[in-house]
Amino acid sequence: GEDVEQSLFLSVREGDSSVINCTYTDSSSTYLYWYKQEPGAGLQLLTYIFSNMDMKQDQRLTVLLNKKDKHLSLRIADTQTGDSAIYFCAEKKSSNTGKLIFGQGTTLQVKP
Amino acid sequence: DGGITQSPKYLFRKEGQNVTLSCEQNLNHDAMYWYRQDPGQGLRLIYYSQIVNDFQKGDIAEGYSVSREKKESFPLTVTSAQKNPTAFYLCASSNRKTPGAAQEAQHFGDGTRLSIL
């Protein structure tokens, strides 16, 4: 199957860490991406990870990949109100089409 | 600055009318994509094009048409056959020549919101 699944909603307090989870079904995926969408805007690429990596850190963002369980997570440290948005994970398969399969998106609400 | 421009930002369609959404990129990307986003849902692929003068149907192509006459442009027409066109439409592009996660990432425009009059 081609499903990418995410929980729909996460609420955290400002300054806490946020963890957004994603599961995918295709073990042939080559790259996995995290995108951020603010209200009324397009998707902004946040970070990505190769399927042969376990972890990637980029400033406040940490991506963890458990390839055996097909589980991807995005941790945002010291979450700020400006981090409130919808976060999408996406997988790129090994086929040569360039297509990405997106999850439904997780709405992150950051309370002051 | 390089980027993807979608226009208009808001569009209204009358019953029985075809409307065309514009998408232009100056990133020199070969591949372009159209997605539909409904509230509380993820992105669904309508059409994509990997090269000029060629395009393929995505998961929900019925009621839509596209053309790819120029590398920079990938307009989407929402035809009268699309009975539920109200949605947020997103265009994206990606580099198909240089391999790598960053290089192959899709870059998005700011979207067009289409509503029915």
Side-chain angles (χ1 to χ4, degrees), chain A residues 33 35 37 42 48 92 96 98, chain B residues 33 37 96 101 104 106 109:
Chain A
Y33 297 90
Y35 284 87
Q37 184 181 34
Y48 56 85
K92 181 185 180 305
N96 198 28
Chain B
Y33 312 82
Q37 185 178 24
R96 299 287 296 128
E104 294 185 57
Q106 290 186 14

Side-chain angles (χ1 to χ4, degrees), chain A:
Chain A
E2 290 197 338
D3 287 345
V4 177
E5 305 255 341
Q6 298 179 240
S7 51
L8 294 182
F9 187 77
L10 175 66
S11 180
V12 300
R13 293 228 170 261
E14 193 172 15
D16 288 349
S17 291
S18 307
V19 179
I20 302 171
N21 295 303
C22 172
T23 57
Y24 60 99
T25 57
D26 191 343
S27 57
S28 71
S29 297
T30 53
Y31 313 131
L32 295 136
Y33 297 90
W34 283 104
Y35 284 87
K36 176 184 180 183
Q37 184 181 34
E38 296 185 359
L43 274 65
Q44 171 195 353
L45 178 65
L46 281 180
T47 188
Y48 56 85
I49 189 166
F50 290 85
S51 59
N52 60 1
M53 294 171 64
D54 298 323
M55 185 182 89
K56 179 181 178 182
Q57 188 156 2
D58 185 359
Q59 298 182 330
R60 290 191 298 123
L61 304 179
T62 303
V63 179
L64 294 177
L65 176 60
N66 181 328
K67 196 169 182 179
K68 174 175 167 289
D69 294 338
K70 300 189 186 69
H71 182 265
L72 180 73
S73 67
L74 174 69
R75 178 176 178 271
I76 305 173
D78 186 25
T79 312
Q80 304 296 307
T81 54
D83 294 323
S84 293
I86 303 175
Y87 290 81
F88 291 93
C89 64
E91 62 169 341
K92 181 185 180 305
K93 298 177 180 298
S94 58
S95 65
N96 198 28
T97 66
K99 288 167 59 178
L100 297 181
I101 309 299
F102 286 86
Q104 314 96 301
T106 299
T107 298
L108 174 64
Q109 179 189 66
V110 182
K111 296 179 182 175

Side-chain angles (χ1 to χ4, degrees), chain B residues 82-106:
Chain B
Q82 173 48 248
K83 297 306 178 191
N84 184 23
T86 299
F88 191 51
Y89 290 87
L90 287 160
C91 178
S93 70
S94 68
N95 183 343
R96 299 287 296 128
K97 288 199 172 71
T98 307
Q103 293 81 355
E104 294 185 57
Q106 290 186 14

